Amino acid sequence: MLDNCPKCGSLFVRTQFRDVCDACYKEEEKLFEKVYAFIRKRENRTATMPQVVDATGVEEALIIKWIKKGRLQLVHFPNLGYPCEKCGATIREGRLCAKCIGGIQKEMTKIQQEEERQKQAKRQTTYFTERRKDD
Protein backbone atom coordinates (compact mmCIF):
# COMPACT_ATOMS: atom_id res chain seq x y z
CA MET A 1 0.00 0.00 0.00
CA LEU A 2 1.39 3.38 -0.98
CA ASP A 3 1.68 5.72 2.02
CA ASN A 4 3.56 8.68 3.41
CA CYS A 5 6.28 7.96 5.95
CA PRO A 6 5.06 9.05 9.41
CA LYS A 7 8.56 10.30 10.27
CA CYS A 8 9.72 12.22 7.20
CA GLY A 9 6.63 12.39 4.99
CA SER A 10 8.23 10.78 1.91
CA LEU A 11 6.23 8.37 -0.22
CA PHE A 12 6.91 4.64 0.28
CA VAL A 13 5.27 1.24 -0.02
CA ARG A 14 3.95 0.16 3.41
CA THR A 15 4.20 -3.55 4.12
CA GLN A 16 3.50 -5.75 7.12
CA PHE A 17 7.22 -5.60 7.88
CA ARG A 18 7.88 -1.88 7.41
CA ASP A 19 5.84 1.07 8.57
CA VAL A 20 8.43 3.72 7.60
CA CYS A 21 10.38 4.53 4.41
CA ASP A 22 13.78 2.97 3.63
CA ALA A 23 15.77 5.96 4.89
CA CYS A 24 13.90 6.09 8.21
CA TYR A 25 14.10 2.30 8.51
CA LYS A 26 17.89 2.46 8.21
CA GLU A 27 17.97 5.20 10.85
CA GLU A 28 15.77 3.08 13.14
CA GLU A 29 18.13 0.14 12.66
CA LYS A 30 21.09 2.25 13.78
CA LEU A 31 19.13 3.33 16.85
CA PHE A 32 18.13 -0.27 17.55
CA GLU A 33 21.77 -1.33 17.50
CA LYS A 34 22.59 1.51 19.89
CA VAL A 35 19.86 0.45 22.34
CA TYR A 36 20.66 -3.24 22.04
CA ALA A 37 24.37 -2.64 22.59
CA PHE A 38 23.54 -0.66 25.74
CA ILE A 39 21.16 -3.16 27.34
CA ARG A 40 23.20 -6.18 26.30
CA LYS A 41 26.02 -5.14 28.64
CA ARG A 42 25.82 -7.04 31.92
CA GLU A 43 25.71 -3.89 34.06
CA ASN A 44 22.83 -2.44 32.01
CA ARG A 45 20.54 -5.48 31.83
CA THR A 46 18.53 -4.26 34.80
CA ALA A 47 18.09 -0.75 33.36
CA THR A 48 14.61 0.75 33.43
CA MET A 49 12.98 2.39 30.42
CA PRO A 50 13.89 5.95 31.52
CA GLN A 51 17.51 4.87 32.07
CA VAL A 52 17.70 3.34 28.57
CA VAL A 53 16.15 6.46 27.02
CA ASP A 54 18.56 8.75 28.90
CA ALA A 55 21.63 6.69 28.09
CA THR A 56 20.89 6.15 24.39
CA GLY A 57 18.84 9.20 23.43
CA VAL A 58 16.35 6.93 21.66
CA GLU A 59 12.64 7.77 22.03
CA GLU A 60 10.64 5.58 24.39
CA ALA A 61 7.98 5.05 21.71
CA LEU A 62 10.55 3.49 19.40
CA ILE A 63 11.83 1.16 22.12
CA ILE A 64 8.23 0.14 22.89
CA LYS A 65 7.69 -0.56 19.18
CA TRP A 66 10.67 -2.95 19.19
CA ILE A 67 9.42 -4.67 22.35
CA LYS A 68 5.93 -5.17 20.89
CA LYS A 69 7.39 -6.50 17.64
CA GLY A 70 9.48 -8.97 19.63
CA ARG A 71 12.85 -7.54 18.62
CA LEU A 72 13.74 -6.90 22.28
CA GLN A 73 13.00 -9.95 24.43
CA LEU A 74 11.94 -8.75 27.88
CA VAL A 75 12.87 -12.09 29.42
CA HIS A 76 16.50 -10.92 29.34
CA PHE A 77 15.74 -7.43 30.68
CA PRO A 78 13.69 -7.64 33.90
CA ASN A 79 13.07 -3.91 34.40
CA LEU A 80 11.90 -3.03 30.90
CA GLY A 81 8.24 -2.89 29.96
CA TYR A 82 5.65 -0.78 28.19
CA PRO A 83 2.41 0.93 29.25
CA CYS A 84 -0.97 -0.79 29.55
CA GLU A 85 -3.24 0.57 26.81
CA LYS A 86 -5.99 1.35 29.33
CA CYS A 87 -4.36 2.69 32.49
CA GLY A 88 -0.69 3.19 31.57
CA ALA A 89 0.78 0.82 34.18
CA THR A 90 4.01 -0.86 33.10
CA ILE A 91 3.45 -4.35 31.67
CA ARG A 92 5.69 -6.95 30.04
CA GLU A 93 3.25 -8.77 27.77
CA GLY A 94 -0.10 -8.32 26.09
CA ARG A 95 -1.94 -5.04 25.77
CA LEU A 96 -3.53 -4.68 29.22
CA CYS A 97 -2.33 -5.09 32.81
CA ALA A 98 -3.81 -7.75 35.10
CA LYS A 99 -5.89 -5.16 36.98
CA CYS A 100 -7.54 -3.87 33.79
CA ILE A 101 -8.12 -7.41 32.50
CA GLY A 102 -9.74 -8.29 35.84
CA GLY A 103 -11.97 -5.22 35.66
CA ILE A 104 -13.08 -6.05 32.13
CA GLN A 105 -13.76 -9.68 33.10
CA LYS A 106 -15.80 -8.51 36.09
CA GLU A 107 -17.87 -6.23 33.86
CA MET A 108 -18.38 -9.05 31.34
CA THR A 109 -19.58 -11.35 34.13
CA LYS A 110 -22.09 -8.70 35.28
CA ILE A 111 -23.37 -8.30 31.72
CA GLN A 112 -23.72 -12.07 31.28
CA GLN A 113 -25.56 -12.37 34.59
CA GLU A 114 -27.94 -9.56 33.60
CA GLU A 115 -28.60 -11.20 30.22
CA GLU A 116 -29.31 -14.51 31.96
CA ARG A 117 -31.64 -12.79 34.43
CA GLN A 118 -33.53 -11.18 31.53
CA LYS A 119 -33.84 -14.57 29.77
CA GLN A 120 -35.22 -16.11 32.97
CA ALA A 121 -37.67 -13.24 33.37
CA LYS A 122 -38.98 -13.76 29.82
CA ARG A 123 -39.49 -17.49 30.45
CA GLN A 124 -41.37 -16.84 33.68
CA THR A 125 -43.75 -14.24 32.33
CA THR A 126 -47.24 -14.70 33.75
CA TYR A 127 -50.28 -13.40 31.91
CA PHE A 128 -53.40 -12.32 33.78
CA THR A 129 -56.88 -11.93 32.35
CA GLU A 130 -59.26 -9.28 33.43
CA ARG A 131 -62.76 -10.31 34.54
CA ARG A 132 -65.64 -8.10 33.68
CA LYS A 133 -68.16 -7.24 36.37
CA ASP A 134 -71.13 -7.89 34.13
CA ASP A 135 -70.30 -11.61 33.62
Side-chain angles (χ1 to χ4, degrees):
M1 174 169 94
L2 205 54
D3 203 354
N4 288 83
C5 177
K7 290 195 177 247
C8 69
S10 66
L11 206 56
F12 78 107
V13 177
R14 180 184 295 270
T15 67
Q16 65 182 8
F17 305 109
R18 288 204 186 156
D19 57 355
V20 293
C21 70
D22 264 355
C24 291
Y25 177 77
K26 288 176 184 173
E27 182 61 32
E28 280 187 6
E29 284 303 299
K30 287 178 189 173
L31 295 173
F32 176 80
E33 290 302 323
K34 186 176 186 179
V35 168
Y36 191 69
F38 174 77
I39 60 177
R40 191 175 56 216
K41 291 180 183 174
R42 171 169 268 143
E43 65 269 14
N44 296 331
R45 287 191 182 164
T46 58
T48 62
M49 183 68 76
Q51 290 170 332
V52 174
V53 170
D54 288 344
T56 63
V58 177
E59 295 175 9
E60 183 175 337
L62 198 51
I63 298 170
I64 291 170
K65 175 182 166 181
W66 295 326
I67 292 170
K68 286 183 175 182
K69 284 188 171 187
R71 294 196 66 197
L72 292 176
Q73 301 292 318
L74 293 183
V75 96
H76 304 294
F77 312 109
N79 294 329
L80 282 183
Y82 52 92
C84 167
E85 290 183 11
K86 188 167 189 241
C87 72
T90 301
I91 57 175
R92 296 179 53 79
E93 63 183 7
R95 296 173 66 179
L96 300 172
C97 67
K99 184 178 177 182
C100 290
I101 289 172
I104 290 171
Q105 288 173 337
K106 191 175 182 181
E107 288 299 315
M108 297 260 311
T109 301
K110 283 182 185 178
I111 290 168
Q112 289 170 343
Q113 288 172 345
E114 179 60 24
E115 286 175 351
E116 188 60 35
R117 188 193 63 75
Q118 288 177 356
K119 283 180 187 176
Q120 291 293 332
K122 282 184 181 178
R123 284 188 221 142
Q124 296 176 357
T125 303
T126 305
Y127 295 97
F128 296 96
T129 58
E130 187 178 313
R131 289 188 176 198
R132 294 185 188 173
K133 290 185 180 183
D134 56 335
D135 282 339

